[in-house]
Amino acid sequence: MSSNTSCKNILVVSGASSGIGKEILLLLDKLIRAGKEQADEIWAIARSTDKLEALAAQVKTPVIPVTLDLSDRGDLLKLKEKLEQEQPRIRVLANCAGFGYFDHTENIDTDLLLNMVDLNCTSYVAMINYALPCMPEGSRILNIASCAGFQPIPYINCYAATKAFVLNYTRALNVELKYKNIHCLAVTPFWTRTAFFDRAINADKKPVVINYAAMYDAKAVAKKAVKDLYSKKEISCCGFVNNGQRILVRLLPKKLVMKVWMGQQKLDGTPGIRP
């Protein structure tokens, strides 16, 4: 990337059309308006152009809708080309795109699982590597992991494993990028009220999860995440129940953790979900 001191400052938020990603974008806009962050534009990335345009009408900072499917390698390359062409200075990169699916692994189509890995993991790696040449000293990276990343979870195994990847990848990346003063934060939400469940749950089948220990608000999760990002914390974990579980699953044998989960949800380990 060429050195261009006059290039624009931007913030990039993926998964910006709803949920935690949308709330993070709204909070970043407030920081810009308060003079606590420098940005000429916010690039909002999602698959829905209509939702991005509606979001742009809610904020004061100019929002550039970038309609992409980040699970598609071709679309990721389009973003790379856009960055190389415009050469912005990325002050904040917030990777918030992702999805999960609840079911026994034998009931889930392989393409869906691979798509999950591509969006939850591959896109984060690509986004960061494409963005790094554009990130000046003092910039920030926020990755949405999950409390699921702290433990193996039967019937949600692939999703939990992708979030374990994001969690460990982000923590290691934070160490590697300290020499450039680029800070990386892993956000680990508990169950949160978002459109996540629209895709994670098959309404035509018995539910996998019947016992939610707690359900958090996306605004609260986003507020703590942005605060922790600017406080240079390594992990953002919102809520008493979330923090308590995080500690317990670290101390207890993983075999016991999975046994407790199966008992809570009355799961028997078969593709039939439960008797």
Side-chain angles (χ1 to χ4, degrees):
M1 177 181 170
S2 63
S3 59
N4 182 356
T5 57
S6 64
C7 63
K8 60 191 173 187
N9 290 311
I10 71 167
L11 313 183
V12 180
V13 183
S14 72
S17 61
S18 65
I20 296 171
K22 177 181 176 180
E23 297 301 331
I24 285 174
L25 187 150
L26 295 174
L27 288 169
L28 291 174
D29 173 61
K30 288 183 179 180
L31 290 180
I32 295 167
R33 287 186 281 130
K36 297 179 180 179
E37 181 55 86
Q38 301 173 23
D40 304 298
E41 297 173 352
I42 301 176
W43 290 12
I45 303 174
R47 292 184 299 171
S48 171
T49 303
D50 291 343
K51 288 183 178 180
L52 291 178
E53 290 176 348
L55 176 63
Q58 298 180 41
V59 301
K60 300 295 184 182
T61 308
V63 170
I64 308 302
V66 183
T67 307
L68 298 172
D69 178 357
L70 295 179
S71 66
D72 186 308
R73 300 287 178 93
D75 276 14
L76 285 169
L77 287 175
K78 289 177 185 177
L79 178 63
K80 179 176 183 285
E81 292 166 2
K82 183 175 174 64
L83 290 172
E84 290 174 344
Q85 181 179 9
E86 300 194 24
Q87 296 192 0
R89 290 165 55 88
I90 301 175
R91 302 281 306 170
V92 175
L93 170 62
N95 287 308
C96 306
F99 80 93
Y101 192 82
F102 305 162
D103 208 335
H104 190 282
T105 195
E106 291 180 86
N107 294 335
I108 306 175
D109 184 77
T110 303
D111 286 342
L112 186 149
L113 293 173
L114 294 177
N115 186 251
M116 189 188 304
V117 173
D118 284 339
L119 183 58
N120 294 4
C121 300
T122 305
S123 75
Y124 282 40
V125 175
M127 291 273 288
I128 289 170
N129 271 31
Y130 295 158
L132 278 174
C134 301
M135 302 190 80
E137 183 176 341
S139 52
R140 296 172 170 86
I141 297 171
L142 180 154
N143 289 333
I144 298 293
S146 169
C147 67
F150 293 113
Q151 64 188 90
I153 308 180
Y155 290 82
I156 311 179
N157 63 55
C158 187
Y159 174 76
T162 65
K163 293 306 182 179
F165 171 87
V166 173
L167 176 62
N168 290 310
Y169 168 65
T170 306
R171 297 181 75 176
L173 196 65
N174 190 42
V175 174
E176 291 184 35
L177 297 179
K178 281 190 186 299
Y179 85 100
K180 296 178 71 173
N181 192 27
I182 294 177
H183 178 68
C184 303
L185 172 74
V187 183
T188 59
F190 201 71
W191 301 117
T192 307
R193 294 181 190 89
T194 69
F196 171 87
F197 295 99
D198 295 344
R199 190 170 184 183
I201 296 173
N202 187 331
D204 297 327
K205 292 185 176 182
K206 289 182 180 179
V208 170
V209 183
I210 59 174
N211 181 3
Y212 295 92
M215 186 68 70
Y216 291 93
D217 182 72
K219 290 183 179 179
V221 174
K223 184 177 181 180
K224 187 169 195 315
V226 171
K227 180 182 178 182
D228 290 343
L229 179 67
Y230 283 83
S231 300
K232 292 195 172 183
K233 290 192 176 180
E234 184 181 61
I235 294 175
S236 180
C237 192
C238 178
F240 177 79
V241 174
N242 193 6
N243 277 286
Q245 178 167 303
R246 171 187 167 191
I247 293 169
L248 281 174
V249 300
R250 185 175 61 196
L251 297 175
L252 297 174
K254 295 300 182 285
K255 193 171 183 178
L256 176 59
V257 170
M258 288 190 285
K259 184 177 181 180
V260 170
W261 160 260
M262 296 286 283
Q264 287 176 334
Q265 310 306 335
K266 300 188 182 339
L267 297 167
D268 63 5
T270 68
I273 306 298
R274 57 178 60 83

